C-alpha cells in the first residue's frame, strides 16, 4: 500500500531537520524492513513536510513500531525538529492523508 502523511517543522528548525534527517540510523532502516515499510520519501514546502510511504500494512507497521527501541530513539532525536503531524482534516494526528486522485488508478480503470 502507498500512504501519504503531513507533518510540520518547528519554527527555525528547517536546516537542523535537513541535516539530522539526511540519513536515518541503520537500526531504524532494518526495523522498517522488518515491519514491512519498503520506501519512505519526504518533500518540504516551507515548514510543511509531505511523506509518501510504501508499505505492506500501515496500521500493522505503526503497531509494531510502538514498542521498538530504534523507533523510540529516532522519534526522541528527530522530534526536536518536528512540531506535529496532521491528519486529512488538518487535526493533529498521524492518520494517512486522504487520496483524492491517482493517475495509475484512473488509467487502469
Amino acid at each position: 500500500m502507498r500512504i501519504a502523511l503531513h507533518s510540520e517543522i518547528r519554527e527555525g528548525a528547517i536546516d537542523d531537520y535537513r541535516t539530522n534527517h539526511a540519513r536515518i540510523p541503520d537500526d531504524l532502516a532494518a526495523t522498517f524492513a522488518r515491519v514491512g515499510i519498503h520506501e519512505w520519501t519526504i518533500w518540504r514546502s516551507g515548514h510543511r513536510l509531505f511523506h509518501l510511504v510504501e508499505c505492506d500494512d500501515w496500521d500493522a507497521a505503526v503497531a509494531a513500531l510502538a514498542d521498538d527501541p530504534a523507533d523510540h530513539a529516532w522519534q526522541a532525536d528527530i522530534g526536536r525538529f518536528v512540531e506535529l503531524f496532521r491528519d486529512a482534516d488538518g487535526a493533529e494526528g498521524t492518520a494517512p492523508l486522504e487520496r483524492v486522485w491517482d493517475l495509475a488508478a484512473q488509467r487502469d480503470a
Side-chain angles (χ1 to χ4, degrees):
M1 70 187 307
R2 182 175 58 187
I3 62 109
L5 304 168
H6 171 214
S7 62
E8 296 179 9
I9 300 174
R10 292 184 191 279
E11 187 69 34
I14 291 171
D15 291 336
D16 289 333
Y17 178 86
R18 240 195 242 112
T19 299
N20 283 274
H21 214 309
R23 178 178 172 84
I24 67 169
D26 291 337
D27 60 343
L28 182 61
T31 294
F32 282 174
R34 181 179 50 78
V35 303
I37 296 174
H38 307 291
E39 186 62 57
W40 192 314
T41 307
I42 303 171
W43 290 270
R44 183 181 70 83
S45 177
H47 69 283
R48 297 177 180 197
L49 300 172
F50 298 93
H51 310 245
L52 180 63
V53 182
E54 294 181 22
C55 58
D56 295 332
D57 180 325
W58 176 249
D59 292 333
V62 169
L65 292 172
D67 295 322
D68 184 83
D71 188 59
H72 283 257
W74 175 248
Q75 295 306 323
D77 183 38
I78 204 66
R80 298 176 293 152
F81 313 112
V82 178
E83 182 70 30
L84 55 85
F85 274 80
R86 294 196 182 274
D87 67 15
D89 295 319
E92 189 170 346
T94 57
L97 299 176
E98 175 188 3
R99 184 179 77 172
V100 176
W101 177 76
D102 184 310
L103 176 61
Q106 177 178 321
R107 220 179 14 242
D108 296 342

